[in-house]
Amino acid sequence: MAEPVEIAKYNLTGDQEKKEILRQYRSLLRALKSKLKPGDKELIRTAFEMAADAHKTMRRKSGEPYITHPLAVAMICVEEIGLGIRSTICALLHDTVEDTDVTLEDVEREFGSEIARIIDGLTKISNVVDANTTQQAENFKKILLTLTDDPRVILIKLADRLHNMRTLDSMKVEKQLKISSETVYVYAPLAHRMGLYNIKTEMEDLAMKYLEPEAYREIAQKLAETRRERTRFINEFIRPIKEKLEQGNFNFEIYGRPKSIHSIWNKIKKKAVSFEEVYDLFAIRIILNSPPEKEKEDCWKVYSMITDEYNPSPERLRDWLSNPKANGYEALHTTVMGPQGKWVEVQIRTKRMNEIAEKGLAAHWKYKEGSGEEGRFEQWFQQIREALNNHESNSLDFLQDFKTSFLTEEIYVYTPRGDVKMLPTGATALDFAFSVHSMVGSKCIGAKVNHKLVPIGHKLRSGDQIEIITSAKQKPTEDWLNLVVTAKAKTKIKDALKEEKRKIADEGKYLLQRKLEQLGVAFNQHNIDELVTHYKLPSPLEFYYKIAIKTIDLKDLKDFQVMGDKIVPPKPVKLEPKEEETLKSGNKKDAELIIFGESSDKIVYNLAACCKPIPGDDVFGFVTTGKGLTIHRTNCPNAAKLLANYGHRVVKTKWVKNKEISFLTVIKIKGLDDVGVVSKITNLISAELRINISAITIEAKEGVFEGNIKLFVHDKDELENLVNRLKSLPGIESVDRYDTENA
Ligand code: MN
């Protein structure tokens, strides 16, 4: 993405900048040193000069010369992803065809067709930004096609995105939100899927910094405050293991790693716990320098040494040595009981495995050569190619399907004959059936999982062995779509449903033809269109279908007028438009937000029902067709999708203090069941704090209670104060704000 800025605005001395650019260029060459073959240096120099010249009048939003960006992207490709010479050249040139006078032909002439093809792929991906929704999803499909053609495209694109995220500070807030959302929605999962754990983690942390600035700062600060304590614990934990490994003559590295800010935040949200309960979660990593033939044996030896010292939790042993993940990850994970009764995760891997864990795909290929291993990536790419070829439905659905099918963690299951199949997490017996063959899927009536009979919607787990039971009489139905997660199964079910519908509709068409004949009306396009419009249906097919299944009764046609061979439907009765629902308790007259952007006018808005924002929340405005502006919280579960797909419809919004209007919000309270707990809560809320309660439900079970309270607050401060006061009541265990309607 280029954001050209006039050069005159910046008063920097050219010499200093040139020096800095040359310094960056030299360190790039240094990083590549071991990979350089005769002639490579000259090629890289040509690419660098071509890019520097093409971008020479451009600057980044930060004011730096534009060429620093391609240089940084190239450096990420080499150092953090482990890519080589050709990718470096592509990274240097990645924005030229998109933003400058350099053409694809120029690139091809200078560097050949392989590099031109990659640059072409990168240029197509750039177009995704700022395009309208459908086009964006359409482009995303293109990216995937290019990706399966040459994965380097996506690796360089990930480096590009990472550098843009690292330098996001100088962008406008709207851009920050949009780019961050896109990053969590598409790029971080892609990085994960490519096995680039470090890049994925950094992307998520950076995105969180912009999407949830408050939570980010809070956790970052708390992590810094607790660093010392953590280090002490890690050292205490490591000491005995270190001794054992040294006695065993292992060549190794051992260290502790705190969890990322984003993953701590996820734990806090998911498990509804406090920072204090999760902050000391970290992984201990042991990296062995073992020869290839002893890798597995050594890892298990070390496992045995650790579990001699600390007690392992048997359910939390993960053996990715025997069965690596689809993204290439190999390691042995165990969780043991450490000092002070704390669970600690230990990851054991060799140097080679560690490189794969950090550099993903690129490293994987490096080691795959000559090892004879069937490429798991190849399998994955093959599945993507199939899905792309089969997919007819709209592009947005496709994007969603793609995410659930290909970007989630995978499970491994077995056929009755012991063949392994890879499916996304959440896949069901029906997904499995379709993965075997579409005929097996359409005829599936149930399955035996590990010899036990289960329904078709049964969710599978890694290691399950599945036998599909079919019946010739079985047919797919509409609700099957809710029972599958893979793109393949979805497409096949939709195809079957369409086919089935067409058959049924044929009967309806025949019935209509006869009815019109009886009425003396022609069976022609005009009359069919009249009827389809009258019944408000999207197509004649739908109309025939509704006739066949008797949702539409042809007897009703007797009320229609006949003029010549034309049929004239009666005028439809006008329905009163339904009153727009608002969550505000006060009247709707005044908007309480100021909308930034070109104007500072007050405009009409709605509050999103999905996340129920209240003043003080970090929010953004989303332009809805016909409804004006809808306000969402930036951490709304729908936000990432909206921001990523419809960035151009996002408006920066900010609250203005207003004490007259209150907003509906919901809190969830958990605690010990105790006589009078309800009156203590309501007393605090309504009598002491004078907050209006709209509804309250409390359920008690086995000594604990869970309550939901709907109440009206003026802003976030008031809500926070209330939450803190409630927490300090005796017996209250947790108080949380509802994130969504159906949380
Ligand atoms: Mn770029």
Side-chain angles (χ1 to χ4, degrees), residues 523-579:
F523 181 80
N524 61 18
Q525 199 59 48
H526 171 85
N527 285 336
I528 294 165
D529 286 348
E530 280 293 312
L531 290 165
V532 168
T533 322
H534 172 75
Y535 285 104
K536 297 195 177 70
L537 294 169
S539 66
L541 180 75
E542 200 68 29
F543 181 47
Y544 302 148
Y545 177 72
K546 290 237 151 71
I547 295 169
I549 61 166
K550 308 244 170 355
T551 330
I552 288 176
D553 191 347
L554 285 177
K555 280 187 195 131
D556 294 346
L557 293 189
K558 69 178 188 318
D559 300 333
F560 290 31
Q561 275 185 335
V562 176
M563 293 170 80
D565 66 348
K566 287 183 181 162
I567 193 158
V568 183
K571 285 266 172 294
V573 188
K574 222 181 168 190
L575 292 170
E576 280 301 305
K578 238 176 100 185
E579 196 59 38

Coordinates of all heavy atoms in Angstrom, one line a residue, residues 523-579:
F523 N -49.6 -19.2 -20.6 CA -48.4 -19.5 -19.8 C -47.2 -18.9 -20.4 O -46.5 -19.5 -21.2 CB -48.3 -21.1 -19.7 CG -47.1 -21.5 -18.9 CD1 -47.3 -21.5 -17.5 CD2 -45.9 -21.9 -19.4 CE1 -46.2 -22.0 -16.7 CE2 -44.9 -22.3 -18.6 CZ -45.0 -22.3 -17.2
N524 N -47.0 -17.6 -20.2 CA -45.9 -16.9 -20.8 C -45.1 -16.1 -19.8 O -45.5 -15.9 -18.6 CB -46.4 -16.0 -22.0 CG -47.3 -14.9 -21.5 OD1 -47.4 -14.6 -20.3 ND2 -48.1 -14.3 -22.4
Q525 N -44.0 -15.5 -20.2 CA -43.0 -14.8 -19.4 C -43.7 -13.7 -18.6 O -43.6 -13.6 -17.4 CB -41.9 -14.3 -20.2 CG -40.7 -13.9 -19.4 CD -40.1 -15.1 -18.7 OE1 -40.0 -16.2 -19.2 NE2 -39.9 -15.0 -17.4
H526 N -44.6 -12.9 -19.3 CA -45.2 -11.8 -18.7 C -46.1 -12.2 -17.5 O -45.9 -11.7 -16.4 CB -46.1 -11.1 -19.7 CG -47.0 -10.0 -19.1 ND1 -46.6 -8.8 -18.8 CD2 -48.3 -10.1 -18.5 CE1 -47.5 -8.1 -18.2 NE2 -48.6 -8.9 -18.0
N527 N -46.9 -13.2 -17.7 CA -47.8 -13.7 -16.6 C -47.0 -14.3 -15.5 O -47.3 -14.1 -14.3 CB -48.8 -14.7 -17.2 CG -49.9 -14.0 -17.9 OD1 -50.2 -12.8 -17.7 ND2 -50.6 -14.6 -18.9
I528 N -46.0 -15.1 -15.8 CA -45.2 -15.7 -14.8 C -44.5 -14.6 -13.9 O -44.5 -14.6 -12.7 CB -44.1 -16.6 -15.4 CG1 -44.9 -17.8 -16.0 CG2 -43.2 -17.2 -14.3 CD1 -44.0 -18.7 -16.9
D529 N -44.0 -13.6 -14.6 CA -43.3 -12.5 -13.9 C -44.3 -11.8 -13.0 O -44.0 -11.5 -11.8 CB -42.7 -11.5 -14.9 CG -41.4 -12.0 -15.5 OD1 -40.9 -13.0 -15.0 OD2 -41.0 -11.4 -16.5
E530 N -45.5 -11.5 -13.5 CA -46.6 -10.9 -12.6 C -46.8 -11.7 -11.3 O -46.8 -11.1 -10.2 CB -47.9 -10.9 -13.4 CG -48.0 -9.7 -14.4 CD -48.1 -8.4 -13.8 OE1 -48.8 -8.2 -12.8 OE2 -47.3 -7.5 -14.2
L531 N -46.9 -13.0 -11.5 CA -47.2 -13.8 -10.3 C -46.0 -13.9 -9.4 O -46.2 -13.8 -8.1 CB -47.6 -15.3 -10.8 CG -48.9 -15.3 -11.5 CD1 -49.1 -16.6 -12.3 CD2 -50.1 -15.1 -10.5
V532 N -44.8 -14.0 -9.9 CA -43.6 -14.1 -9.1 C -43.5 -12.8 -8.3 O -43.2 -12.8 -7.1 CB -42.3 -14.3 -10.0 CG1 -41.1 -14.1 -9.1 CG2 -42.3 -15.7 -10.5
T533 N -43.7 -11.6 -8.9 CA -43.7 -10.4 -8.2 C -44.7 -10.3 -7.1 O -44.5 -9.8 -6.0 CB -43.9 -9.2 -9.2 OG1 -43.2 -9.5 -10.4 CG2 -43.3 -7.9 -8.6
H534 N -46.0 -10.8 -7.5 CA -47.1 -10.7 -6.6 C -46.7 -11.5 -5.3 O -47.0 -11.0 -4.2 CB -48.3 -11.3 -7.2 CG -49.5 -11.4 -6.2 ND1 -50.2 -10.4 -5.7 CD2 -49.9 -12.5 -5.6 CE1 -51.1 -10.8 -4.9 NE2 -51.0 -12.1 -4.8
Y535 N -46.1 -12.6 -5.4 CA -45.8 -13.5 -4.3 C -44.5 -13.1 -3.6 O -44.0 -13.8 -2.8 CB -45.9 -15.0 -4.6 CG -47.3 -15.5 -4.8 CD1 -47.8 -15.7 -6.0 CD2 -48.1 -15.7 -3.6 CE1 -49.1 -16.2 -6.2 CE2 -49.4 -16.1 -3.8 CZ -49.9 -16.4 -5.0 OH -51.2 -16.8 -5.1
K536 N -43.8 -12.1 -4.2 CA -42.6 -11.6 -3.7 C -41.5 -12.7 -3.6 O -40.8 -12.9 -2.6 CB -42.7 -11.0 -2.3 CG -43.6 -9.8 -2.2 CD -43.5 -9.0 -0.9 CE -44.3 -7.8 -0.8 NZ -45.7 -8.0 -0.7
L537 N -41.4 -13.4 -4.7 CA -40.4 -14.5 -4.7 C -39.2 -14.1 -5.6 O -39.4 -13.3 -6.5 CB -41.0 -15.8 -5.2 CG -42.1 -16.3 -4.2 CD1 -42.9 -17.4 -4.9 CD2 -41.5 -16.8 -3.0
P538 N -38.0 -14.7 -5.3 CA -36.8 -14.3 -6.1 C -36.8 -14.8 -7.5 O -36.1 -14.2 -8.3 CB -35.7 -14.8 -5.2 CG -36.3 -15.9 -4.4 CD -37.7 -15.6 -4.2
S539 N -37.5 -15.9 -7.8 CA -37.3 -16.5 -9.1 C -38.5 -17.4 -9.4 O -39.2 -17.9 -8.5 CB -36.1 -17.4 -9.1 OG -36.2 -18.5 -8.3
P540 N -38.8 -17.7 -10.7 CA -39.8 -18.6 -11.1 C -39.6 -20.0 -10.4 O -40.6 -20.6 -10.0 CB -39.7 -18.7 -12.6 CG -39.1 -17.4 -13.0 CD -38.2 -17.0 -11.9
L541 N -38.3 -20.4 -10.4 CA -38.0 -21.7 -9.8 C -38.6 -21.8 -8.4 O -39.3 -22.8 -8.0 CB -36.5 -21.9 -9.7 CG -36.1 -23.2 -9.1 CD1 -36.3 -24.4 -10.1 CD2 -34.6 -23.2 -8.7
E542 N -38.4 -20.8 -7.6 CA -38.9 -20.7 -6.2 C -40.4 -20.8 -6.2 O -41.0 -21.4 -5.4 CB -38.4 -19.4 -5.6 CG -38.5 -19.4 -4.1 CD -37.4 -20.3 -3.5 OE1 -36.4 -20.6 -4.1 OE2 -37.7 -20.8 -2.4
F543 N -41.1 -20.1 -7.2 CA -42.5 -20.1 -7.3 C -43.1 -21.5 -7.6 O -43.9 -21.9 -6.9 CB -42.9 -19.1 -8.4 CG -44.4 -18.9 -8.6 CD1 -45.2 -18.7 -7.6 CD2 -44.9 -18.9 -9.9 CE1 -46.6 -18.5 -7.8 CE2 -46.2 -18.7 -10.2 CZ -47.1 -18.6 -9.1
Y544 N -42.5 -22.1 -8.6 CA -42.9 -23.5 -8.9 C -42.7 -24.4 -7.7 O -43.6 -25.2 -7.4 CB -42.1 -24.0 -10.1 CG -42.1 -23.2 -11.4 CD1 -41.0 -23.2 -12.2 CD2 -43.3 -22.5 -11.7 CE1 -41.0 -22.4 -13.4 CE2 -43.3 -21.7 -12.9 CZ -42.2 -21.7 -13.7 OH -42.2 -21.0 -14.8
Y545 N -41.6 -24.2 -7.0 CA -41.3 -25.1 -5.9 C -42.4 -24.9 -4.8 O -42.9 -25.9 -4.3 CB -39.9 -24.7 -5.4 CG -39.5 -25.5 -4.1 CD1 -39.2 -26.8 -4.2 CD2 -39.5 -24.9 -2.9 CE1 -38.8 -27.6 -3.1 CE2 -39.1 -25.6 -1.8 CZ -38.8 -26.9 -1.9 OH -38.4 -27.6 -0.8
K546 N -42.8 -23.6 -4.5 CA -43.7 -23.4 -3.5 C -45.1 -23.9 -3.9 O -45.9 -24.3 -3.0 CB -43.8 -21.8 -3.3 CG -42.6 -21.3 -2.6 CD -42.9 -20.6 -1.3 CE -41.8 -20.6 -0.3 NZ -40.7 -19.8 -0.5
I547 N -45.4 -23.9 -5.2 CA -46.7 -24.5 -5.6 C -46.6 -26.0 -5.4 O -47.6 -26.6 -4.8 CB -46.9 -24.3 -7.1 CG1 -47.1 -22.8 -7.4 CG2 -48.1 -25.0 -7.7 CD1 -47.0 -22.4 -8.9
A548 N -45.5 -26.6 -5.7 CA -45.4 -28.1 -5.6 C -45.5 -28.5 -4.2 O -46.1 -29.6 -3.9 CB -44.1 -28.6 -6.2
I549 N -44.9 -27.8 -3.3 CA -44.9 -28.2 -1.9 C -46.2 -27.6 -1.1 O -46.3 -27.7 0.1 CB -43.6 -27.9 -1.1 CG1 -43.4 -26.4 -1.1 CG2 -42.4 -28.6 -1.7 CD1 -42.4 -25.9 0.0
K550 N -47.0 -27.0 -1.9 CA -48.3 -26.5 -1.5 C -48.3 -25.3 -0.5 O -49.2 -25.1 0.3 CB -49.2 -27.6 -0.8 CG -49.3 -28.9 -1.7 CD -50.7 -29.1 -2.1 CE -51.0 -30.1 -3.1 NZ -50.0 -30.8 -3.8
T551 N -47.2 -24.6 -0.5 CA -47.1 -23.3 0.3 C -47.9 -22.3 -0.4 O -48.5 -21.4 0.3 CB -45.7 -22.8 0.5 OG1 -44.8 -23.9 0.4 CG2 -45.5 -22.1 1.7
I552 N -48.0 -22.4 -1.7 CA -48.8 -21.5 -2.5 C -50.0 -22.3 -3.0 O -49.8 -23.4 -3.6 CB -48.0 -20.8 -3.6 CG1 -47.1 -19.8 -3.0 CG2 -49.0 -20.2 -4.6 CD1 -46.2 -19.1 -4.0
D553 N -51.2 -21.9 -2.7 CA -52.4 -22.6 -3.2 C -52.9 -22.0 -4.5 O -53.3 -20.8 -4.5 CB -53.5 -22.5 -2.1 CG -54.6 -23.5 -2.4 OD1 -54.7 -24.0 -3.5 OD2 -55.4 -23.7 -1.4
L554 N -52.9 -22.8 -5.5 CA -53.3 -22.3 -6.8 C -54.8 -21.9 -6.9 O -55.2 -21.2 -7.8 CB -53.0 -23.3 -7.9 CG -51.5 -23.4 -8.3 CD1 -51.3 -24.5 -9.4 CD2 -51.0 -22.1 -8.8
K555 N -55.6 -22.4 -5.9 CA -57.0 -22.0 -5.8 C -57.1 -20.5 -5.7 O -58.1 -19.9 -6.1 CB -57.7 -22.7 -4.7 CG -58.1 -24.1 -5.0 CD -58.9 -24.7 -3.8 CE -59.0 -26.2 -3.9 NZ -58.7 -26.9 -2.7
D556 N -56.2 -19.9 -5.0 CA -56.2 -18.4 -4.8 C -56.3 -17.6 -6.1 O -56.7 -16.5 -6.1 CB -55.0 -17.9 -4.0 CG -55.0 -18.5 -2.6 OD1 -56.0 -19.0 -2.2 OD2 -53.9 -18.5 -2.0
L557 N -55.8 -18.2 -7.2 CA -55.8 -17.5 -8.5 C -57.2 -17.1 -9.0 O -57.3 -16.3 -9.8 CB -55.1 -18.4 -9.5 CG -53.6 -18.6 -9.3 CD1 -53.0 -19.2 -10.6 CD2 -52.8 -17.3 -9.0
K558 N -58.2 -17.8 -8.4 CA -59.6 -17.4 -8.8 C -59.9 -16.0 -8.5 O -60.8 -15.4 -9.1 CB -60.6 -18.4 -8.3 CG -60.9 -18.4 -6.8 CD -61.9 -19.4 -6.4 CE -62.4 -19.3 -4.9 NZ -61.4 -19.1 -3.9
D559 N -59.3 -15.4 -7.4 CA -59.5 -14.0 -7.1 C -58.8 -13.0 -8.0 O -58.9 -11.8 -7.9 CB -59.0 -13.7 -5.7 CG -59.7 -14.6 -4.6 OD1 -60.8 -15.0 -4.9 OD2 -59.1 -14.9 -3.6
F560 N -58.0 -13.6 -8.9 CA -57.2 -12.7 -9.8 C -58.1 -12.3 -11.0 O -58.9 -13.1 -11.5 CB -56.0 -13.4 -10.3 CG -54.9 -13.6 -9.2 CD1 -55.3 -13.8 -7.9 CD2 -53.6 -13.5 -9.6 CE1 -54.3 -13.9 -6.9 CE2 -52.6 -13.7 -8.6 CZ -53.0 -13.9 -7.3
Q561 N -57.9 -11.1 -11.5 CA -58.6 -10.7 -12.7 C -57.9 -11.3 -13.9 O -56.7 -11.5 -14.0 CB -58.5 -9.2 -12.8 CG -59.6 -8.4 -12.0 CD -59.6 -7.0 -12.3 OE1 -58.6 -6.4 -12.7 NE2 -60.7 -6.3 -12.1
V562 N -58.8 -11.5 -15.0 CA -58.2 -11.9 -16.2 C -58.6 -10.9 -17.3 O -59.7 -10.5 -17.5 CB -58.8 -13.3 -16.6 CG1 -58.3 -13.7 -18.0 CG2 -58.4 -14.4 -15.6
M563 N -57.6 -10.4 -18.0 CA -57.8 -9.4 -19.0 C -57.2 -10.0 -20.3 O -55.9 -10.0 -20.4 CB -57.2 -8.1 -18.7 CG -57.9 -7.4 -17.5 SD -57.0 -6.0 -17.0 CE -57.5 -4.8 -18.2
G564 N -58.0 -10.5 -21.2 CA -57.5 -11.1 -22.4 C -56.7 -12.4 -22.0 O -57.3 -13.2 -21.2
D565 N -55.5 -12.5 -22.4 CA -54.7 -13.7 -22.0 C -53.8 -13.3 -20.8 O -52.9 -14.0 -20.4 CB -53.9 -14.3 -23.1 CG -52.9 -13.3 -23.6 OD1 -52.8 -12.2 -23.2 OD2 -52.0 -13.8 -24.4
K566 N -54.1 -12.1 -20.2 CA -53.2 -11.7 -19.1 C -53.9 -11.8 -17.8 O -55.1 -11.7 -17.7 CB -52.8 -10.2 -19.3 CG -51.8 -10.0 -20.4 CD -51.4 -8.5 -20.5 CE -50.4 -8.4 -21.7 NZ -50.3 -7.0 -22.1
I567 N -53.0 -12.1 -16.8 CA -53.6 -12.2 -15.4 C -53.2 -11.0 -14.6 O -52.1 -10.5 -14.8 CB -53.1 -13.5 -14.8 CG1 -53.9 -13.8 -13.5 CG2 -51.6 -13.5 -14.4 CD1 -53.8 -15.3 -13.1
V568 N -54.1 -10.4 -13.9 CA -53.8 -9.2 -13.1 C -54.0 -9.5 -11.6 O -55.2 -9.7 -11.2 CB -54.7 -8.0 -13.5 CG1 -54.4 -6.8 -12.8 CG2 -54.7 -7.8 -15.0
P569 N -52.9 -9.6 -10.9 CA -53.1 -9.9 -9.4 C -53.7 -8.7 -8.7 O -53.6 -7.5 -9.1 CB -51.6 -10.0 -9.0 CG -50.8 -10.1 -10.2 CD -51.5 -9.4 -11.3
P570 N -54.4 -9.0 -7.6 CA -55.0 -7.9 -6.8 C -53.9 -7.0 -6.2 O -52.8 -7.5 -6.0 CB -55.8 -8.6 -5.7 CG -55.2 -10.0 -5.6 CD -54.7 -10.3 -7.0
K571 N -54.2 -5.7 -5.9 CA -53.2 -4.8 -5.3 C -52.8 -5.3 -3.9 O -53.7 -5.7 -3.2 CB -53.8 -3.4 -5.2 CG -53.8 -2.7 -6.6 CD -52.6 -1.8 -6.7 CE -52.5 -1.2 -8.1 NZ -52.3 -2.3 -9.2
P572 N -51.5 -5.3 -3.6 CA -51.2 -5.8 -2.3 C -51.6 -4.8 -1.2 O -51.6 -3.6 -1.4 CB -49.6 -5.9 -2.3 CG -49.3 -5.0 -3.5 CD -50.4 -4.9 -4.4
V573 N -52.0 -5.3 0.0 CA -52.3 -4.5 1.1 C -51.0 -3.9 1.7 O -50.1 -4.6 1.9 CB -53.0 -5.3 2.2 CG1 -53.6 -4.4 3.3 CG2 -54.1 -6.2 1.6
K574 N -51.1 -2.6 1.9 CA -49.8 -2.0 2.4 C -49.7 -2.2 3.9 O -50.6 -2.0 4.7 CB -49.9 -0.5 2.2 CG -48.5 0.0 1.7 CD -48.5 1.5 1.4 CE -47.1 1.9 1.2 NZ -47.1 3.4 1.2
L575 N -48.5 -2.7 4.3 CA -48.3 -3.0 5.7 C -47.6 -1.8 6.3 O -46.8 -1.1 5.7 CB -47.4 -4.2 5.9 CG -48.0 -5.5 5.5 CD1 -46.9 -6.6 5.4 CD2 -49.1 -5.9 6.4
E576 N -47.9 -1.5 7.6 CA -47.3 -0.4 8.3 C -45.8 -0.8 8.6 O -45.5 -1.9 9.0 CB -47.9 -0.2 9.7 CG -49.2 0.7 9.6 CD -48.9 2.0 9.0 OE1 -48.1 2.8 9.5 OE2 -49.6 2.4 8.0
P577 N -44.9 0.0 8.3 CA -43.5 -0.3 8.5 C -43.3 -0.5 10.0 O -43.8 0.3 10.8 CB -42.7 0.8 8.0 CG -43.6 2.0 7.9 CD -45.0 1.4 7.7
K578 N -42.5 -1.5 10.4 CA -42.3 -1.8 11.8 C -41.4 -0.7 12.5 O -40.4 -0.3 11.9 CB -41.7 -3.1 12.0 CG -42.5 -4.1 12.9 CD -41.9 -5.4 13.0 CE -41.1 -5.6 14.2 NZ -40.4 -6.9 14.3
E579 N -41.8 -0.3 13.6 CA -41.0 0.7 14.4 C -39.6 0.2 14.6 O -39.4 -0.9 15.1 CB -41.7 1.0 15.7 CG -41.3 2.3 16.4 CD -41.5 3.5 15.5 OE1 -42.5 3.6 14.8 OE2 -40.6 4.4 15.6

